[in-house]
Amino acid sequence: LAKTTQPISMDSYEGQEVNITCSHNNIATNDYITWYQQFPSQGPRFIIQGYKTKVTNEVASLFIPADRKSSTLSLPRVSLSDTAVYYCLVGNTGGFKTIFGAGTRLFVKA
Amino acid sequence: EAGVAQSPRYKIIEKRQSVAFWCNPISGHATLYWYQQILGQGPKLLIQFQNNGVVDDSQLPKDRFSAERLKGVDSTLKIQPAKLEDSAVYLCASSLQGSTMNTEAFFGQGTRLTVV
């Protein structure tokens, strides 16, 4: 199973764009990259999923370079409510069967 | 649509006691997962069901943990006897399918277990 590496924590201010990068050097050909968000006392919530290049939805964008050994979750214009833990997962069964790391704790300040 | 339902939300028990958690997945979701999340860590998969069959239980401590999914719908996770290190949030998740296709998993709010 591919292991992922993310920064432990990040700080930002309201209105800024936040980019969280995840390293997954051992990603397999049929693996997808999935990001989840988790607020305190809640279960993780799906944000975005991609295989290559760029994926965008109403919440975020996911950038994946050609070698797929890393990916970047981009949150445009964050607000205080985006303060949460963000998990990067790599796998071929929805991403969630693979290992959740410790995630990245994002703190958004006013 | 209704989300993944879990109960109870909180449970406090003494060590060596037994406890059970219940999960009702989203209607029509064939795949159901139980995760254990210790404070400050990411969720760890305990067991995965596809309908009522077990797909993966490699990380389930089978000497004390057991899980079943009756009729491929609801599921229960049991711990007997509980240890202090079992204190965690137990999360249930479901998805439409989870074998070869990538699909979104929906998580419940979890059950917070405290073993004293």
Side-chain angles (χ1 to χ4, degrees):
Chain A
L1 298 176
K3 182 180 178 181
T4 60
T5 303
Q6 305 173 234
I8 294 174
S9 66
M10 296 180 67
D11 289 347
S12 183
Y13 288 92
E14 284 189 291
Q16 289 188 330
E17 178 185 73
V18 171
N19 296 308
I20 306 174
T21 298
C22 178
S23 297
H24 28 81
N25 292 319
N26 297 322
I27 189 169
T29 302
N30 57 348
D31 283 344
Y32 282 74
I33 300 155
T34 310
W35 286 80
Y36 279 81
Q37 174 191 57
Q38 186 175 28
F39 298 114
S41 301
Q42 295 187 25
R45 182 175 72 105
F46 174 91
I47 300 176
I48 197 166
Q49 185 178 82
Y51 183 79
K52 62 180 179 180
T53 62
K54 177 183 175 182
V55 179
T56 297
N57 61 22
E58 64 278 5
V59 177
S61 294
L62 178 59
F63 298 92
I64 306 168
D67 65 5
R68 303 200 329 122
K69 294 184 182 299
S70 67
S71 59
T72 299
L73 174 72
S74 181
L75 305 172
R77 297 180 298 281
V78 294
S79 64
L80 296 176
S81 62
D82 292 317
T83 294
V85 178
Y86 292 82
Y87 296 98
C88 164
L89 291 88
V90 172
N92 59 8
T93 55
F96 34 78
K97 188 182 177 185
T98 58
I99 301 172
F100 275 84
T104 298
R105 297 179 182 277
L106 173 65
F107 297 95
V108 180
K109 307 172 186 176
Chain B
E1 93 187 338
V4 175
Q6 291 188 247
S7 67
R9 284 298 311 278
Y10 306 93
K11 190 74 176 179
I12 301 174
I13 62 172
E14 295 183 350
K15 59 183 179 183
R16 290 187 290 275
Q17 285 188 323
S18 61
V19 64
F21 312 124
W22 174 81
C23 173
N24 180 232
I26 292 174
S27 177
H29 281 195
T31 308
L32 185 147
Y33 310 78
W34 282 102
Y35 284 84
Q36 179 194 60
Q37 185 171 26
I38 293 172
L39 186 64
Q41 300 181 17
K44 182 183 86 170
L45 179 68
L46 293 176
I47 190 168
Q48 175 186 352
F49 292 94
Q50 185 77 13
N51 295 308
N52 60 352
V54 175
V55 174
D56 183 357
D57 63 357
S58 56
Q59 298 192 89
L60 186 74
K62 298 180 185 64
D63 58 334
R64 298 184 300 106
F65 286 65
S66 65
E68 61 180 4
R69 189 179 185 194
L70 301 175
K71 300 180 181 179
V73 182
D74 291 6
S75 177
T76 56
L77 176 69
K78 298 179 182 178
I79 307 175
Q80 182 181 12
K83 293 185 176 181
L84 296 177
E85 57 261 36
D86 297 332
S87 294
V89 175
Y90 291 84
L91 295 161
C92 179
S94 71
S95 66
L96 280 170
Q97 56 189 52
S99 54
T100 58
M101 294 284 291
N102 266 278
T103 58
E104 177 181 348
F106 295 83
F107 283 79
Q109 288 192 294
T111 296
R112 181 177 298 277
L113 174 67
T114 302
V115 182
V116 298

